[in-house]
Amino acid sequence: MFKIGIGFFISFIVFMTYGMEQSIVTNAEYILVLIQEMLIGILLGFVVYLFFMIVQTAGSIMDMQIGFAMANVVDPHTGASSPLLGNFKYMLMLVVFLMMNGHHYLLTGLMDSYQWLPLTNDLFARIMEGGVTDFLTRTFGNTFLLALQVAAPLVVAMFLTDLGLGFLVKTAPQFNIFVIGIPLKIIIGLILLMLLLPGMAVLFEKLFAIMFDSLEHLLGIVQGPPVE
């Protein structure tokens, strides 16, 4: 209900700002305009969703390396199971997003999208040309690469830990590697996480900057900047 209410009030504000100046199409073209506007909203939302899922993907990779893969928690946003570290970083990312007034930028972008993409935009033609598909493919690949880069420090540390444990098994076979290895990896992972935590805010700000640049690029692909 909360999401429905937020969506209704945002739609009402947008309508009162831009909708009153638009002419209403009374023929079958109205259906095409409606589908077109829905697709634009889905595209913008999907791009934002991809960047927020970077920390979830990175958290999943970290959980597998540390040993938290089985300790999933319920994500209150989606209602599905999510990785422990991924959910923690996701919540931290939301806090940073609100602290830097990212929701203001998103609302501003939503309002300005009607200047970049008026109701007479050429979305269907752009989709047929392949520009939108190419952008989404590259954005998906870039977000996955960013997720790997976010998880890279901890993954490398866990690899070196596994390497050291392997040498330990070869030199001292009497040690139970499972009894020693699992707690050791958890301790090292948590220590590294605490060391990396202060830099997360800077990392998230860079991710948000890339996200807003991607949104601007998407709007530019579909229609281009407004003519002043």
Side-chain angles (χ1 to χ4, degrees), residues 97 100 102 105-106 207-217:
F97 183 73
M100 61 177 293
Y105 291 111
L106 275 183
L207 289 179
F208 292 141
I210 298 173
M211 180 184 72
F212 289 122
D213 289 340
S214 298
L215 290 175
E216 184 177 351
H217 188 198

Side-chain angles (χ1 to χ4, degrees), residues 131-207:
V132 176
T133 304
D134 181 66
F135 168 79
L136 292 177
T137 304
R138 286 187 287 105
T139 302
F140 180 80
N142 291 335
T143 52
F144 189 76
L145 179 61
L146 288 171
L148 292 177
Q149 291 175 348
V150 171
L154 197 142
V155 171
V156 172
M158 292 298 102
F159 172 75
L160 295 177
T161 304
D162 289 334
L163 189 63
L165 291 173
F167 283 121
L168 178 63
V169 171
K170 288 296 183 180
T171 56
Q174 66 271 19
F175 287 106
N176 190 334
I177 191 62
F178 293 102
V179 175
I180 299 175
I182 294 177
L184 180 63
K185 292 181 68 175
I186 292 176
I187 292 173
I188 294 177
L190 292 178
I191 292 175
L192 281 175
L193 187 62
M194 287 188 293
L195 293 176
L196 295 173
L197 199 58
M200 288 294 175
V202 178
L203 174 65
F204 292 156
E205 288 182 3
K206 292 183 178 180
L207 289 179

Side-chain angles (χ1 to χ4, degrees), residues 5-175:
I6 289 292
F8 171 78
F9 282 111
I10 292 177
S11 301
F12 180 75
I13 293 173
V14 172
F15 174 75
M16 295 301 295
T17 305
Y18 293 103
M20 301 297 292
E21 303 174 358
Q22 304 295 329
S23 59
I24 300 177
V25 181
T26 57
N27 51 24
E29 187 180 352
Y30 175 78
I31 303 298
L32 294 177
V33 173
L34 182 63
I35 296 175
Q36 181 177 268
E37 293 301 306
M38 290 176 61
L39 285 176
I40 292 174
I42 291 173
L43 285 174
L44 295 176
F46 181 68
V47 172
V48 174
Y49 177 78
L50 282 179
F51 279 91
F52 272 90
M53 285 299 103
I54 288 176
V55 292
Q56 290 277 18
T57 306
S60 299
I61 298 173
M62 292 179 179
D63 282 342
M64 286 189 294
Q65 296 297 320
I66 296 178
F68 289 159
M70 293 184 294
N72 288 344
V73 295
V74 177
D75 185 2
H77 181 66
T78 60
S81 297
S82 61
L84 190 64
L85 291 180
N87 196 59
F88 169 72
K89 288 191 173 185
Y90 180 78
M91 295 299 177
L92 184 62
M93 189 175 184
L94 282 179
V95 172
V96 175
F97 183 73
L98 295 175
M99 288 178 60
M100 61 177 293
N101 292 326
H103 55 299
H104 293 174
Y105 291 111
L106 275 183
L107 292 176
T108 302
L110 178 63
M111 302 296 288
D112 291 343
S113 66
Y114 286 90
Q115 297 179 6
W116 285 68
L117 300 175
L119 297 179
T120 57
N121 64 79
D122 300 325
L123 176 63
F124 294 120
R126 301 294 182 180
I127 293 177
M128 293 300 295
E129 292 173 359
V132 176
T133 304
D134 181 66
F135 168 79
L136 292 177
T137 304
R138 286 187 287 105
T139 302
F140 180 80
N142 291 335
T143 52
F144 189 76
L145 179 61
L146 288 171
L148 292 177
Q149 291 175 348
V150 171
L154 197 142
V155 171
V156 172
M158 292 298 102
F159 172 75
L160 295 177
T161 304
D162 289 334
L163 189 63
L165 291 173
F167 283 121
L168 178 63
V169 171
K170 288 296 183 180
T171 56
Q174 66 271 19
F175 287 106

